Amino acid sequence: LDILESLSICRCRVTCEGLGSVVKSNGLKALKLMAVLRTPVNDKGAAAIGGMKGLEHLNIAELQGMQNKHFSMMVAGKKNLRHLN
């Protein structure tokens, strides 16, 4: 996963929590574009997305259960983020 540049998670029943362990193990370092669409999100999932500091494009349309705190967790500290949907 070290060279993966684009990841799309759409209409899944997962909460993106599993991404946390990948990010902690320094995986997904090259990821620039991420789309998470029509998928549930929780605190751990939002924190995992928040840990992806190299993202330039983030699409989080229609996330189920998303709250203001999740949005803040996902976008805070992303200095390279150029596109947000």
Side-chain angles (χ1 to χ4, degrees), residues 6-77:
S6 176
L7 176 63
S8 179
I9 301 172
C10 301
R11 296 183 181 173
C12 293
R13 294 184 183 188
V14 299
T15 58
C16 299
E17 274 185 50
L19 293 172
S21 57
V22 175
V23 172
K24 286 180 185 175
S25 67
N26 289 323
L28 302 174
K29 290 184 265 186
L31 197 64
K32 303 288 183 219
L33 185 147
M34 182 169 192
V36 184
L37 310 167
R38 296 183 181 177
T39 300
V41 68
N42 62 15
D43 289 349
K44 290 181 181 179
I49 295 169
M52 299 174 185
K53 301 298 183 193
L55 287 177
E56 295 177 6
H57 305 266
L58 179 59
N59 187 347
I60 50 175
E62 298 182 46
L63 289 182
Q64 299 166 1
M66 187 162 118
Q67 301 172 12
N68 289 337
K69 66 178 180 176
H70 296 140
F71 178 78
S72 296
M73 293 166 76
M74 286 187 263
V75 300

